[in-house]
């Protein structure tokens, strides 16, 4: 394993253009070539170990890939669920806004009706006041007419009595 992630990436891609430098805090590697394997002697144990390590890495990579796919599928389901919730919430908001507008329209209509009813009430009050004033005036006139009628009747009786006495 390489301590420098960039160097590890370049090494893994096979793109090294110069020898790797020693990481800080570690001794520099010796410039002596690695001992060559003995001629005629194959190292099957090393190749098997490398093959096993490669298989293990491959299996781990496949497991990580499978977990990533599962997480992506779960995230997609979560996204779908949230989008559904968003659509439902937006629909509820749209309906609530329509209801608010309808309520405002009803308030406006009722307010106009109330204003009309207030004007009618005020007109009725004014008509009642005028009718009351007129009734008082007529009542006064009736009382005055009765008084004059009594006075006239009394005057007629007086004249009739006088005329009878003279006759």
């Amino acid at each position: 394993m390489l301590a420098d992630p960039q160097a590890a990436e370049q090494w893994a891609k096979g793109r090294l253009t110069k020898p790797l430098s020693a990481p800080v805090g570690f001794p520099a590697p010796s410039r002596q070539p690695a001992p060559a394997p003995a001629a005629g002697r194959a190292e099957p144990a090393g190749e098997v170990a490398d093959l096993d390590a490669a298989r293990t890495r491959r299996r781990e990579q496949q497991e990580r890939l499978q977990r990533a796919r599962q997480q992506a599928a779960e995230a997609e389901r979560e996204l779908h669920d949230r989008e559904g919730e968003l659509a439902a919430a937006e629909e509820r908001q749209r309906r609530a806004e329509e209801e608010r507008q309808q309520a405002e329209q009803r308030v406006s209509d009722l307010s106009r009706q109330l204003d009309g009813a207030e004007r009618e009430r005020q007109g009725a009050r004014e008509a009642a006041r005028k009718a009351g004033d007129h009734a008082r005036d007529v009542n006064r006139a009736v009382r005055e007419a009765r008084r004059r009628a009594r006075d006239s009747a009394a005057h007629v009786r007086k004249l009739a009595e006088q005329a009878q006495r003279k006759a």
Side-chain angles (χ1 to χ4, degrees):
M1 173 182 249
L2 296 174
D4 182 0
Q6 290 177 338
E9 186 178 328
Q10 289 177 355
W11 180 78
K13 293 179 180 177
R15 295 186 181 168
L16 288 179
T17 57
K18 62 181 181 175
L20 298 173
S21 60
V24 177
F26 290 96
S30 66
R31 300 257 179 206
Q32 299 176 2
R41 191 175 138 213
E43 295 187 40
E47 290 176 13
V48 170
D50 288 345
L51 186 58
D52 287 343
R55 285 180 180 155
T56 301
R57 284 192 304 274
R58 174 87 172 137
R59 185 179 66 250
E60 290 171 351
Q61 183 181 17
Q62 290 297 325
E63 289 172 356
R64 285 191 303 272
L65 178 60
Q66 182 61 28
R67 282 192 302 271
R69 284 180 178 154
Q70 288 173 346
Q71 289 173 347
E74 187 173 319
E76 188 67 29
R77 283 190 300 272
E78 179 74 16
L79 172 62
H80 180 71
D81 291 348
R82 295 301 160 255
E83 286 175 338
E85 289 176 11
L86 175 61
E90 287 173 342
E91 178 61 22
R92 284 191 302 271
Q93 180 186 16
R94 185 191 62 75
R95 284 194 310 262
E97 180 61 23
E98 284 179 2
E99 290 175 7
R100 183 196 60 78
Q101 289 175 349
Q102 290 172 356
E104 285 182 1
Q105 184 61 45
R106 283 192 308 268
V107 166
S108 177
D109 293 346
L110 292 172
S111 180
R112 280 193 295 276
Q113 287 178 348
L114 178 61
D115 288 345
E118 285 288 335
R119 283 191 298 277
E120 287 178 19
R121 181 176 71 171
Q122 188 63 31
R125 281 182 178 168
E126 184 63 23
R129 184 190 63 74
K130 286 180 180 179
D133 290 348
H134 182 69
R136 281 189 294 281
D137 291 346
V138 169
N139 190 16
R140 217 176 292 122
V142 166
R143 284 193 315 261
E144 182 63 28
R146 281 183 188 152
R147 186 189 59 73
R148 279 196 310 258
R150 279 192 310 269
D151 288 349
S152 292
H155 185 61
V156 167
R157 278 191 304 270
K158 187 176 177 184
L159 288 177
E161 286 176 9
Q162 286 176 358
Q164 251 184 358
R165 276 192 237 155
K166 287 189 181 186

